[in-house]
Amino acid sequence: MDIKLSPITQSNYLAAFSVQQNCHLYPWSQDVFADCLDGQYFAFQMEQLTEVMGYYIGLQVLDEVTLMDIGVKQSCRGKGYARTLMTHFIQQCRQRSIKDIWLEVRRSNLIAERLYLQFGFELIEERKNYYPTQEGRENALIMKKHM
């Protein structure tokens, strides 16, 4: 079946927002998610038939982009969809003449960290006690890819 990547807009974001809510222990509010769809942001969702399986949101400032969020629906994980999303995200960055891509990832998210390393991201630093957890706080890895 064909997978389609299409822009997330103010009129079609609810399915991607639902995926975001289920991807994170502490998800964004609907207002925060919707605010990330205009201006310097660019966002895409991955669909198969009518099902939204994943999404990403990037924030562009001059010639840098921060990957603000990326997620794949729980039932769709382990099938290469995150790789498809990252490939599309990097293509979008190239089209925008981006020089550097930044991201943060939970220290415990080894699968995501491995994916980012495979795409050429490098560990820049570890931010202590950045993400909330049920037991307290968790470190964030700051990663960068030079294009």
Side-chain angles (χ1 to χ4, degrees), residues 70 82-83 86 110-120:
I70 185 170
R83 178 172 298 286
M86 281 301 295
L110 300 177
I111 293 171
E113 180 185 0
R114 197 169 332 134
L115 176 71
Y116 301 142
L117 290 170
Q118 289 171 357
F119 274 90

Side-chain angles (χ1 to χ4, degrees), residues 36-53:
C36 292
L37 303 177
D38 293 322
Q40 295 172 290
Y41 293 92
F42 60 97
F44 283 80
Q45 59 191 9
M46 181 174 48
E47 304 165 75
Q48 191 169 48
L49 299 176
T50 59
E51 179 185 12
V52 172
M53 302 176 318

Side-chain angles (χ1 to χ4, degrees), residues 8 12-22 33 45 47 50-55 73:
I8 304 173
N12 74 353
Y13 74 90
L14 289 177
F17 173 68
S18 177
V19 173
Q20 201 272 346
Q21 294 293 289
N22 291 302
F33 193 92
Q45 59 191 9
E47 304 165 75
T50 59
E51 179 185 12
V52 172
M53 302 176 318
Y55 69 94
K73 193 174 187 177

